Amino acid sequence: MSLDQEKLECVHESGGRTLARCPACAVSGHDRRGVHLILYPDGRFGCAAYPGDSEHRRIIWRLAGGANEWKTHDRLVRGSGARGSSPISRTDRTSS
């Protein structure tokens, strides 16, 4: 599972990492330099401006991810035991 790089802007390599313009930040006109979104080789991703913000990651996924895969991603993120996470109580979620 990973983001569709065809849907991203300013994709580039820097220091052995793949960076891009965060689509969630771009909606409000931010991240014009294309350095907020970090893409990891295993498919994980995150925004440097909103680290640990699961709602921000959901917005990124809706804008640049595969709609059928978010349920799995959400379960991994929220069920990871991270501070403030809670177990998924509804498994019939669909992305919107």
Side-chain angles (χ1 to χ4, degrees):
M1 174 197 75
S2 61
L3 295 176
D4 182 352
Q5 290 192 21
E6 295 292 321
K7 296 179 182 177
L8 298 175
E9 299 175 352
C10 305
V11 179
H12 61 283
E13 297 290 323
S14 178
R17 301 181 301 175
T18 302
L19 302 177
R21 185 175 191 197
C22 173
C25 291
V27 167
S28 58
H30 298 285
D31 192 19
R32 292 187 179 125
R33 294 185 317 149
V35 296
H36 287 189
L37 186 64
I38 303 167
L39 306 169
Y40 297 97
D42 64 0
R44 292 179 303 133
F45 60 93
C47 178
Y50 293 89
D53 185 333
S54 61
E55 183 58 30
H56 196 74
R57 281 193 303 270
R58 280 187 195 92
I59 295 167
I60 294 169
W61 186 256
R62 279 186 228 136
L63 295 169
N68 295 330
E69 297 180 16
W70 177 254
K71 189 185 301 185
T72 302
H73 178 72
D74 190 41
R75 193 171 289 124
L76 289 172
V77 170
R78 292 185 62 203
S80 66
R83 185 179 61 176
S85 68
S86 60
I88 296 292
S89 58
R90 296 178 298 164
T91 57
D92 60 336
R93 291 179 51 144
T94 56
S95 56
S96 48

